[in-house]
Amino acid sequence: MTDNYKLAIIGYPLSHSMSKVIQETALKSCGLAGTYDVLPTEPENLITRIKRLKVEGYHGFNVTIPHKVPITLFLSKFDTNANLIGSVNTVKITEDKNLEGSNTDIYGFVKAIPDDVKTNLKDKNAVVLGTGGAARAICAGLVSLGVKEITFYSRNVIDSHPHVEVLRQKFPKTKIELKPYSLLENLKGCKILVNTTPVGMKNFLEGASPIDFEVVKGLDDDVLVYDIVYNPVKTRLIKHAEFCGKRYVGGLDMLVYQAEKAFEIWTGQTPDTAAMKIAALESLV
């Protein structure tokens, strides 16, 4: 077992991140020594950052926007989920300085969905806002729950088309559509709506919603609105859902559960997720 774990998160921006308090709580809950550093990394500095993480003796790191897909170019090994969707959020640095990539977002996303909703999603329709790295994980999670049709909405359909085409090839039994935001008016029949964009995130269009209030109001009564943004805990989208009496899941549970799985990959131990969530909530007060 490692005497002192050196962990980190890379991405840009990172001012919203709660990963440090969550993972350092995980270390404490398992009686392990270590630190978790927040390392803002702009796209043009990704290669330099990876080299420094190796040289400076890090054991692993999390990856967030905008590096979840580009990081795959530097990995020597992938787990099944990362290989399936081509998106990585957790990297383990081996003793010989190789990088092994995993995707724990799929696990975190699915685990946060209430059990009764999971059983209700089989052969149903889903809507996903955004087509980035996180959207790939959400797509895989929805497919694993038996969703029949997934419609992606994007502000730039031309750029998003190759990403969605990859998902169609990966999941040929699921109907996958891509539509522009301009057509996002009536989502009747959708049983789960997931926001994978950063809209509404602290210091990134905070206070904005990726879809209008009237769209949320028009959703089916038994829909689940799921916003993977976790800071603030209640985004504008979640507040819309709450006001309209729709069930909702915020991004904090997904964050904690994916962090749990990442921690297991780095240390081989299972942390206290309840303590991790409490620490995250306290950091927001």
Side-chain angles (χ1 to χ4, degrees):
M1 184 186 296
T2 300
D3 292 331
N4 197 321
Y5 284 94
K6 196 170 183 182
L7 308 168
I9 181 172
I10 65 171
Y12 192 85
L14 286 180
S15 56
H16 66 287
S17 179
M18 288 190 285
S19 292
K20 179 178 175 66
V21 68
I22 289 173
Q23 292 291 5
E24 290 190 346
T25 298
L27 285 164
K28 186 177 179 181
S29 77
C30 291
L32 301 176
T35 55
Y36 187 96
D37 300 322
V38 178
L39 304 174
T41 306
E42 296 184 54
E44 60 269 26
N45 297 325
L46 179 59
I47 296 176
T48 301
R49 175 67 72 195
I50 291 171
K51 289 178 180 177
R52 290 186 63 182
L53 288 165
K54 289 183 178 183
V55 171
E56 294 174 9
Y58 282 83
H59 299 94
F61 57 97
N62 284 127
V63 184
T64 189
I65 296 172
H67 304 313
K68 290 187 176 187
V69 175
I71 192 69
T72 59
L73 299 173
F74 306 95
L75 305 178
S76 59
K77 185 178 178 181
F78 300 82
D79 75 354
T80 301
N81 284 335
N83 189 50
L84 178 66
I85 64 174
S87 174
V88 164
N89 76 320
T90 301
V91 176
K92 181 176 182 178
I93 303 177
T94 64
E95 289 186 7
D96 55 4
K97 302 304 179 183
N98 283 324
L99 303 183
E100 298 180 354
S102 301
N103 190 298
T104 69
D105 282 331
I106 299 172
Y107 171 85
F109 169 72
V110 172
K111 189 171 180 178
I113 298 175
D115 288 340
D116 65 307
V117 176
K118 290 177 187 174
T119 57
N120 186 46
L121 288 178
K122 184 172 175 58
D123 295 326
K124 299 299 195 310
N125 297 344
V127 167
V128 178
L129 309 177
T131 59
R136 297 187 184 197
I138 272 60
C139 182
L142 291 171
V143 170
S144 74
L145 294 172
V147 167
K148 177 180 68 174
E149 181 177 326
I150 303 172
T151 303
F152 287 90
Y153 283 89
S154 172
R155 297 194 186 281
N156 191 326
V157 171
I158 294 176
D159 286 350
S160 297
H161 181 76
H163 301 296
V164 172
E165 195 56 41
V166 168
L167 294 175
R168 286 176 178 144
Q169 294 170 9
K170 295 286 186 180
F171 308 108
K173 294 182 180 180
T174 305
K175 184 178 180 181
I176 297 177
E177 293 193 298
L178 174 62
K179 296 182 179 180
Y181 255 83
S182 59
L183 297 181
L184 205 161
E185 295 176 355
N186 186 342
L187 299 179
K188 281 288 184 183
C190 161
K191 298 305 177 185
I192 181 169
L193 178 139
V194 187
N195 174 44
T196 71
T197 77
V199 175
M201 187 173 72
K202 182 180 180 182
N203 296 331
F204 189 97
L205 297 177
E206 185 175 358
S209 172
I211 56 174
D212 295 336
F213 174 81
E214 291 300 321
V215 176
V216 178
K217 185 178 179 181
L219 290 168
D220 291 357
D221 290 338
D222 61 347
V223 73
L224 178 71
V225 177
Y226 193 143
D227 194 342
I228 73 168
V229 172
Y230 54 83
N231 190 2
V233 173
K234 282 191 177 181
T235 60
R236 178 59 61 88
L237 174 59
I238 292 299
K239 289 178 179 178
H240 285 344
E242 185 176 40
F243 186 84
C244 295
K246 315 295 184 184
R247 292 183 72 176
Y248 61 85
V249 172
L252 188 58
D253 284 339
M254 176 178 170
L255 175 70
V256 169
Y257 293 138
Q258 65 80 24
E260 168 199 15
K261 186 60 69 175
F263 188 85
E264 290 176 356
I265 290 169
W266 296 324
T267 70
Q269 296 199 39
T270 301
D272 184 340
T273 53
M276 292 160 72
K277 185 173 181 179
I278 290 170
L281 287 168
E282 288 177 344
S283 74
L284 293 174
V285 175

